[in-house]
Amino acid sequence: MGGPVVGGFCDSLGSTCACLRRVCCRGGVRGPGNGVGDADCVPRMEAQKVTQSDEDETIELARIAFERGAYRRAERLLLQAIEHGDLGDDVWNNLGTVRVMIDDYAGAVAAYANSSSLGVDSLANLGLAYERLGDIPGAFAKYEEALTLDPDHVSSLVNLGTLLLSEDRVEEAQAVLLHAADLDPSANWQLSDVYIELGDLDSSSEALHHAIAAGERRGWLDLARVEHDRGNRSEAELAFAEAIAYLRAEIVTGQVMLGSRGGLG
């Protein structure tokens, strides 16, 4: 089942947040290995007098680490930039995003609190941090704040929709996730959960096919389960084989994100 979405890294050298990468996960935001092996991902910086160019290099190294899934390395580099006096909003926002990726939700909230300007990606991530900390009203508030700024922000729509579904507000979740899927067909992965909740396995299967066609290969395992429950054994076996192939490929690259959301955005 589909789960929440995490916004990407901000461009600390510019004025806007560019979502370089979105990560859906099941039952929490998980990155590959939570930093295992991250020391080899980017070169270590030698101690030296810090200049603006050095600070920019540190941020760029943090970006590289983030893109490679070395989130703890990215965190260390961002903290290094902050220690050397780079207190710009983008640095704090990026630190918050990285901490969400390593499941440090309290740390993410603290990082975002130091930013005077939260963009829609950061608001979506902050909402997810509140959700994971059990502050459901806070999570709703941040998702809705993000959608006030951008009603078509897919990450916020997905996060809001999955939260509504977890709160048994199925019809509201359906409306939100239908909008998300119209904007980004991969969000059909999360929408399929609504149809399962409604007992409409045919629509769930259709939604999963749309998500997979849009590149959301994590939907294969859910499709296998849905087709099994529909009594389509051959289709279930084919979907399961695709799921295994996907997982094997992702294990090799260290990019697997697994878990369970109540029983997955």
Side-chain angles (χ1 to χ4, degrees), residues 38-94:
D38 61 1
D40 297 325
C41 288
V42 292
R44 293 184 179 277
M45 294 186 64
E46 297 180 358
Q48 56 186 324
K49 182 178 179 180
V50 177
T51 65
Q52 183 60 50
S53 176
D54 295 329
E55 291 178 4
D56 292 348
E57 181 182 2
T58 302
I59 299 301
E60 184 59 26
L61 290 174
R63 179 192 298 279
I64 292 170
F66 180 86
E67 291 176 344
R68 294 180 178 180
Y71 302 122
R72 293 193 182 278
R73 175 64 171 164
E75 181 189 31
R76 289 196 295 270
L77 287 163
L78 290 169
L79 289 172
Q80 178 179 322
I82 291 170
E83 181 181 353
H84 291 153
D86 189 343
L87 304 178
D89 288 338
D90 284 341
V91 176
W92 289 113
N93 291 340
N94 287 335

Side-chain angles (χ1 to χ4, degrees), residues 133-205:
L133 290 170
D135 184 354
I136 301 305
F140 274 123
K142 292 306 173 184
Y143 296 151
E144 290 166 357
E145 184 177 348
L147 290 169
T148 297
L149 295 176
D150 181 1
D152 293 335
H153 189 246
V154 175
S155 297
S156 299
L157 288 167
V158 168
N159 289 357
L160 177 60
T162 56
L163 180 56
L164 286 167
L165 186 59
S166 72
E167 294 289 299
D168 295 324
R169 296 163 62 176
V170 181
E171 292 184 358
E172 294 173 82
Q174 182 177 18
V176 171
L177 291 172
L178 278 169
H179 182 36
D182 284 342
L183 296 166
D184 182 352
S186 65
N188 278 284
W189 187 35
Q190 289 86 358
L191 179 61
S192 69
D193 294 345
V194 172
Y195 294 125
I196 290 175
E197 189 69 22
L198 293 172
D200 187 351
L201 295 181
D202 291 346
S203 293
S204 182
S205 173

